[in-house]
Amino acid sequence: MYKHILIPTDGSPISTEALKKALDFAREIGAKATVLVVMEPLQVMTLNPTGMEVAYAEYDRFNNEAADRILADAKEAAKQHMVACETVKLDSGDTAKTIVETAEKNNCDLIAMASHGRSGFKAFMLGSVTMKVLANSKTPVLVYR
């Protein structure tokens, strides 16, 4: 069975619920977990970049603090579920690719993640990280809805 589960999360309610279910599953099968937060860079299109350094710095600070809170909560949840857990925080403009690469790098044999349930036009325009992971991962993916 699975021995090492990668659990990507963004801290949203559905992602947090998937984290809890994945930790339950990990406990049941005796697997360890790695919880991943991927921080996307601020992308701004402007004709006048003056003063953007402050906006980028503030965004990075806020993003790092949020990721640290998410990972601390995940670590606590893993402790409550009695699951050995590591946490990883990475910067990337391509979340799905980072998830797939992190699973491979850490020898994870399962990726357990939430589906944000976008459909129709929203899914087409925004894309789906989950769909991209499913399409590009050699590692099995368990999707929580």
Side-chain angles (χ1 to χ4, degrees):
M1 203 67 196
Y2 304 112
K3 300 289 181 206
H4 189 182
I5 302 173
L6 178 68
I7 310 170
T9 183
D10 61 8
S12 65
I14 191 169
S15 192
T16 301
E17 188 61 31
L19 169 74
K20 291 176 185 174
K21 290 179 181 178
L23 290 171
D24 281 338
F25 182 59
R27 183 188 67 239
E28 288 175 19
I29 64 172
K32 66 180 180 177
T34 296
V35 178
L36 170 68
V37 171
V38 179
M39 300 181 304
E40 295 184 12
L42 178 63
Q43 298 178 4
V44 178
M45 293 178 61
T46 180
L47 296 174
N48 183 8
T50 306
M52 288 305 296
E53 301 86 23
V54 173
Y56 281 112
E58 185 65 17
Y59 176 82
D60 287 343
R61 183 185 66 74
F62 176 80
N63 212 10
N64 271 293
E65 288 175 0
D68 289 342
R69 278 192 306 274
I70 292 165
L71 292 174
D73 290 347
K75 193 79 163 167
E76 181 59 32
K79 184 178 176 182
Q80 290 175 0
H81 285 81
M82 296 179 286
V83 173
C85 179
E86 295 179 19
T87 59
V88 178
K89 176 174 68 170
L90 298 171
D91 291 309
S92 176
D94 188 342
T95 302
K97 182 179 178 184
T98 302
I99 292 168
V100 171
E101 289 174 351
T102 302
E104 290 172 3
K105 179 181 173 191
N106 290 288
N107 296 313
C108 297
D109 47 17
L110 180 68
I111 300 170
M113 61 190 301
S115 168
H116 279 41
R118 290 188 187 111
S119 61
F121 185 71
K122 275 187 178 178
F124 175 74
M125 291 304 292
L126 298 175
S128 165
V129 170
T130 305
M131 290 300 293
K132 290 175 187 172
V133 169
L134 285 166
N136 294 299
S137 179
K138 294 176 186 166
T139 304
V141 181
L142 175 61
V143 179
Y144 292 99
R145 289 196 55 101

